Every structure is written in C-alpha cells, then in structure tokens.
Amino acid sequence: MTLNLRGLTPAPVTPFTRDGEVDYAAIHRLGAWLGGIDGITGLVVLGHAGEGTFLTSDEQCKVIEAFVEAVKGEIPIIAGITREGDYVAAEEAKRAMAAGASAGLVYPSHGWLRFGYQEGAPQERYRRIHAESGLPLILFQYPDNTKATYNLQTQLDIAAQPGVFAMKNGVRNMKRWDTEIPVIREQRPDLQILTCHDEYLLHTMFDVDGALVGYGGIAPEPLIELIQAGKAKDYAKARELHDRLLPVTKSVYHRGSHMEGTVALKWALVARGVLEHATVRAPLRPLVEGADREIANAMQQAGLA
C-alpha cells in the first residue's frame, strides 16, 4: 500500500550526548513527541537535518530502529539514502528497510553537485535502489543553483518509475516551481508533491500535498495549520501563520550558511524543552555567541516556547 504523506512530514535532528555519541534516549523523547501530534504523516530521518552522512552505518540503522520504536508504528519512518554510488546506495536502502524504514528519500550522487550528471544516470539510480531493496522511494529535487538539480523530463521519468510515490521538491527557483509543478501534477497525478522550502513555505504551500521539512521538527503545530490553509486556498490565514513564524524562519534559516540551520534547529528544540543541549558532529560547528538566545526569543515570539 502506498504511504500517504499528504500532511506534515518533519525531518527531525539526530540528538547527541554531550560527548558526541548518538543519544537514543533523546531520540525516543523526540520521536514520541512528534509521533503523537495529529497531522504528522511520517518522519524522515538521516537527512541533512539529521546529520545522516555523519553517522556510521551501524549508527544509521540504530537511529532508524530508535525512531520506529519511539512512534510505536503509528507513522512511517523514512530513511535518507545518501551513499554516493548506486551499488552502495542500494545496500544502504536494504539496511534501512531491515531496520524498519517504510520508505527512502533518495539523495543525488554527491559528485553531481559539482560535476553534473550524465543523461539517464538519475533514472538508473532510482531504478536500481528500488529493484534491489524493494523500498518505496521519494524523489528529491535539489536546488536550481546546484548541478544536481533535475530538469523537468528527468523528474517526470523518475516519477513514472516503479516504487517512486512522492517528490520532495526544493528547487528554490520560483520560476521553475511555478512552471514545472503544474506539468508534473498533470502528467504524474498520483505523485505526492511535498515542499521542502523551509524559507519559502508561503509561496509553495498552495500547490502541494504536504511538506517534508526540517522546520516541522521544531514548529509542527503551526506548520500543520499552514498546510491546511494552503489546501483551503486561505491566503489570509496562511499569511498570518507565515508572519507569526517569520522570526523563527529568520533565526533558523536566514543564516550565513544553510548548514547552520541544523545547529539552529537543535537550539530551537532546547527552547521548547525537548532537548537539553545542541551538540552536533563535525564538520558542523557551534553557532556564534548569543545565537541560542536569539533563537529562544524567536520561538517565544512565535508562541512556541
């Protein structure tokens, strides 16, 4: 049966202990909290926000298992599939499925970010991962300013392949969004389209089935309302929620580097009382002095702390 992600699908962080080990007790608290919120359709772990590429293969499997236990099977746990080559990515997908993952979010081969991809290579990546693992897959559309972004035909080709049931679209080019999404919707009507534009949610919320965002891990309640407002074409309500969240958006995502967003997400969870501290793994670094207070103040302004 196809997973239904037509709602909010947060991409939660991976908590660590103060000495840098994966904090499985904190995962259980975080997963149980998110899994108990009505309107959350699943959790995507081991992605960018979850520092998935910073974990060993054994840790990755244990993180999946911990989140599966935390949500008690009430919602699906989806794993980021991030390995560079197709062969190792398929093996990663097999491990994720054995650990309890219900689906996989397939990242592009990271060499494509610099060099681009050969025609047909993305389609083959998805074909092989699904054929060898049996894991249902989510198409991940990268930002337009990278060479790993997929042109429209490549997106349509992947979406037509067996096992691909949804798209996480983060193209971050509103010209492409406004022209490509209607075509994808028309030609692939069964594909679930999910925005991952944490910093452009208002613009994209009126065209989607749901949202797959790290932002959902810190502000699930207003984002669920925002999705509902978008589906109802209630711009006034959507704008009200956007403006309420704007201090949080600025403090978490309008930083010098998008990489800092993961650190900021952890500080936001500290402000909410979900995490005790914001420990991350290298190459991530602590934020500048005072950022924790700035983020806590923004969360308070938004009524989230």
Side-chain angles (χ1 to χ4, degrees):
M1 186 176 72
T2 301
L3 297 179
N4 182 0
L5 301 183
R6 295 176 177 88
L8 177 64
T9 305
V13 301
T14 298
F16 296 106
T17 63
R18 292 186 186 276
D19 59 3
E21 298 300 317
V22 177
D23 189 337
Y24 296 103
I27 286 176
H28 279 86
R29 292 195 302 273
L30 175 59
W33 170 56
L34 291 171
I37 297 173
D38 188 32
I40 287 184
T41 51
L43 300 179
V44 174
V45 304
L46 305 178
H48 289 136
E51 300 175 71
T53 56
F54 306 162
L55 305 181
T56 68
S57 296
D58 184 56
E59 287 175 327
Q60 289 175 339
C61 291
K62 289 181 178 178
V63 165
I64 295 170
E65 291 168 353
F67 273 107
V68 169
E69 291 172 2
V71 302
K72 299 180 180 178
E74 295 295 322
I75 56 173
I77 300 301
I78 299 157
I81 306 300
T82 60
R83 293 297 176 95
E84 180 85 2
D86 295 356
Y87 176 84
V88 292
E91 293 298 308
E92 182 183 18
K94 291 179 189 178
R95 291 193 298 271
M97 194 169 189
S102 298
L105 171 64
V106 179
Y107 286 65
S109 181
H110 289 89
W112 297 347
L113 288 165
R114 180 179 178 190
F115 299 112
Y117 54 85
Q118 295 167 284
E119 186 175 348
Q123 294 91 323
E124 174 59 20
R125 181 170 174 82
Y126 282 80
R127 186 205 66 77
R128 180 163 190 167
I129 291 171
H130 178 67
E132 295 193 13
S133 70
L135 198 64
L137 301 178
I138 299 173
L139 162 61
F140 195 169
Q141 169 69 326
Y142 257 42
D144 182 64
N145 64 356
T146 74
K147 293 184 178 182
T149 194
Y150 301 140
N151 60 37
L152 178 57
Q153 189 58 53
T154 299
Q155 295 173 70
L156 291 170
D157 290 347
I158 295 171
Q161 293 184 182
V164 178
F165 72 97
M167 165 192 281
K168 173 182 178 178
N169 191 303
V171 69
R172 286 175 169 78
N173 175 330
M174 295 303 105
K175 180 174 69 174
R176 288 191 63 188
W177 176 274
D178 290 339
T179 56
E180 292 181 357
I181 292 298
V183 176
I184 296 167
R185 182 70 80 189
E186 178 184 10
Q187 296 194 23
R188 302 290 182 263
D190 294 333
L191 187 74
Q192 297 174 46
I193 299 176
L194 313 173
T195 181
C196 73
H197 293 82
D198 302 82
E199 67 275 48
Y200 300 122
L201 290 175
L202 182 64
H203 183 103
T204 60
M205 198 56 70
F206 296 93
D207 303 308
V208 295
D209 299 298
L212 196 172
V213 284
Y215 210 150
I218 64 170
E221 305 93 342
L223 288 187
I224 289 168
E225 289 188 67
L226 184 56
I227 292 167
Q228 293 169 344
K231 290 181 178 182
K233 302 296 188 266
D234 186 346
Y235 178 81
K237 180 63 175 178
R239 183 75 205 203
E240 174 191 333
L241 290 161
H242 166 271
D243 291 350
R244 172 186 159 194
L245 286 169
L246 188 56
V248 179
T249 306
K250 291 170 64 176
S251 65
V252 174
Y253 290 105
H254 296 179
R255 309 198 71 85
S257 164
H258 198 76
M259 292 295 291
E260 295 179 35
T262 294
V263 196
L265 287 171
K266 290 189 173 182
W267 277 119
L269 287 169
V270 171
R272 289 205 72 156
V274 178
L275 295 183
E276 295 178 358
H277 52 89
T279 303
V280 291
R281 272 194 180 171
L284 291 181
R285 306 289 298 165
L287 300 181
V288 297
E289 185 177 353
D292 56 335
R293 296 188 295 275
E294 170 202 335
I295 294 165
N297 289 337
M299 293 291 283
Q300 288 174 350
Q301 289 180 55
L304 294 169

